Amino acid sequence: MSILFALPAALRRYLVARFLGVFGNNMIAVALGWQIYDLTGSAWYLGLVGLVQFLPALALTVPSGLLVDRADRNHVFAASLALQCVAAATLAWGSTAGWVGPQAILAVCVLIGVARSLQMPAQQALIPALVPVRELPQALAVNASINKLAMVAGPALGGVLYVGGPGVAYGVCAAMFLLSVGLALRVKAPSPPRSQETMSWGAMFAGFVFIRHNPAVLGAMSLDLFATLLGGGTALLPIYARDILHTGAWGLGLLRAAPAVGGLLMTALMTRWPMEHHIGRRMYAAVFIYGLTTMVFSVCTSLPAALLVLAVMGAADIVSTVLRHSVVQVETDDALRGRVGAVHATSISASNQLGQFRAGVAAEWWGPVGAVLVGGAATLLITALWMRWFPALLQRDRLFRPTIPVHLGAKQ
């Protein structure tokens, strides 16, 4: 907590807004998952929740990145939170009035997907604008810690509030998003450099071109994309909670919070003892552990064991996330952060939301245990292949290299 107060005021406001937004994201995820599974009893519908959120992100990747590079990033961030506030309020109204069904939930998920297509590149571009580049890894670790704290409290509270009805859970989500909008508007960040580029296809797709010609960024992004796309099983947690672990919505909240508990403990360690050497090896090791723990979780039949395994999985995931984000941010010039961030955000959406759809379809074929087990094995295979295909990333020792400029970031 003392580290948080030592940060610049603008960064503190951003982190609190981000905390409230992630808190709302995770509350709404618990309520959505439980409600749609309760209405349909179908793994297919659980997968569709992810798919309909991913499709808008895919369609809006290029325009959202260009918008972030040309507009005030805090305003884009605030707008994305406002759209999620509208989505949560709509679900609260519909659930209380009794007209919400699977189709209505999926329609609102499209709006959530639009909002997140703006949110992710905006927030990725904001942090480097608020701190000097040398302080970026620590700022990202603090940001990850704040996120994990919200990911612990959000699902747990969402599961408890759902006992009072989905309308209660969605209503509190809406209030969280509304507060985060107010704080986001107060984040004063330096404006992005006014680009001299004319509006052209080249300018719009500059982020893709940069990533394709930067092996470190391409390797880091694609490793996370394919490992999580093939290995993620979060969408199936409602099935595990109700049918395998025999618990209720409160148990689902604990299952969704458990990885964040492990991640929160790991970020505390990373903040106290930053990882300065063997960056590449640690990133690959973290993804390997993520896949291994996914396989172990697939055969868990007791709630305490499942929570412990998920906590270890979350600790591994946060190591991979912080190192990956640090590599991407350090390698990217500020004028391209929005466009590169939009591509990165789309890869994250693909790995999470499209991964949910993959998990739902696989569960329809092989059952939830088989789907999660095969996903974990696929993650191990991806890790081995990427170690062979991106050896420079594996051998990277330090985050900063002599070729990396150190003048980027906010002027202090």
Side-chain angles (χ1 to χ4, degrees):
M1 187 61 68
S2 59
I3 294 176
L4 181 61
F5 284 107
L7 297 173
L11 181 57
R12 288 201 306 270
R13 292 191 193 100
Y14 164 79
L15 290 174
V16 176
R18 177 86 172 110
F19 172 81
L20 292 172
V22 175
F23 202 109
N25 290 154
N26 283 272
M27 287 183 65
I28 206 170
V30 169
L32 277 172
W34 190 267
Q35 187 177 29
I36 202 163
Y37 190 57
D38 193 43
L39 290 170
T40 66
S42 168
W44 169 258
Y45 270 94
L46 287 172
L48 284 179
V49 168
L51 179 64
V52 299
Q53 291 183 62
F54 168 71
L55 293 178
L58 179 64
L60 296 174
T61 296
V62 171
S64 64
L66 196 60
L67 176 64
V68 169
D69 277 339
R70 292 175 179 264
D72 289 334
R73 290 162 177 171
N74 65 316
H75 291 167
V76 179
F77 181 46
S80 70
L81 296 169
L83 288 176
Q84 291 174 83
C85 180
V86 171
T90 301
L91 288 170
W93 170 39
S95 297
T96 302
W99 55 261
V100 160
Q103 287 72 32
I105 291 173
L106 293 177
V108 173
C109 285
V110 173
L111 179 60
I112 294 173
V114 172
R116 291 183 181 173
S117 72
L118 296 173
Q119 178 182 354
M120 296 182 71
Q123 65 195 22
Q124 287 186 30
L126 268 172
I127 291 184
L130 298 173
V131 296
V133 71
R134 285 291 183 184
E135 297 176 16
L136 184 58
Q138 184 183 43
L140 289 173
V142 174
N143 178 62
S145 182
I146 292 292
N147 289 352
K148 290 301 180 183
L149 183 60
M151 292 171 70
V152 172
L157 182 59
V160 171
L161 290 176
Y162 195 93
V163 175
V168 176
Y170 292 133
V172 175
C173 286
M176 290 286 183
F177 285 125
L178 188 60
L179 287 173
S180 66
V181 170
L183 283 168
L185 290 173
R186 295 189 62 202
V187 176
K188 302 302 180 184
S191 299
R194 295 305 173 189
S195 175
Q196 301 302 312
E197 296 175 287
T198 58
M199 188 67 70
S200 64
W201 288 108
M204 294 179 68
F205 287 92
F208 289 95
V209 174
F210 172 83
I211 293 167
R212 184 167 62 87
H213 288 94
N214 192 309
V217 175
L218 177 61
M221 283 190 186
S222 57
L223 173 64
D224 175 75
L225 167 63
F226 287 101
T228 309
L229 173 64
L230 298 176
T234 304
L236 304 181
L237 288 181
I239 301 178
Y240 266 84
R242 195 177 79 174
D243 301 339
I244 296 176
L245 303 176
H246 307 294
T247 184
W250 64 271
L252 174 60
L254 293 180
L255 289 171
R256 290 194 67 100
V261 172
L264 183 61
L265 294 174
M266 181 56 70
T267 52
L269 294 175
M270 293 177 70
T271 303
R272 178 64 180 84
W273 294 288
M275 294 184 178
E276 298 181 350
H277 293 281
H278 309 301
I279 296 299
R281 291 181 183 177
R282 286 173 168 169
M283 186 185 305
Y284 279 110
V287 178
F288 182 87
I289 294 171
Y290 178 87
L292 190 61
T293 51
T294 298
M295 296 179 69
V296 174
F297 171 75
S298 71
V299 296
C300 286
T301 55
S302 74
L303 183 60
L307 294 175
L308 178 61
V309 173
L310 287 173
V312 176
M313 183 191 302
D317 184 53
I318 200 63
V319 173
S320 170
T321 298
V322 169
L323 294 181
R324 170 171 48 86
H325 277 274
S326 296
V327 168
V328 172
Q329 296 287 14
V330 165
E331 295 278 350
T332 305
D333 186 78
D334 193 55
L336 285 171
R337 288 196 193 280
R339 281 162 285 183
V340 172
V343 179
H344 195 188
T346 302
S347 74
I348 294 172
S349 295
S351 63
N352 291 329
Q353 277 79 51
L354 198 56
Q356 289 182 35
F357 180 67
R358 190 260 340 146
V361 173
E364 286 287 324
W365 292 344
W366 305 320
V369 175
V372 176
L373 182 63
V374 170
T379 300
L380 299 184
L381 177 61
I382 289 296
T383 305
L385 289 174
W386 258 243
M387 290 172 68
R388 181 178 180 84
W389 292 345
F390 295 92
L393 183 61
L394 173 65
Q395 296 162 8
R396 184 161 182 160
D397 181 50
R398 299 180 66 89
L399 181 61
F400 296 99
R401 303 195 308 265
T403 56
I404 300 296
V406 299
H407 61 276
L408 300 177
K411 301 295 187 294
Q412 301 296 308

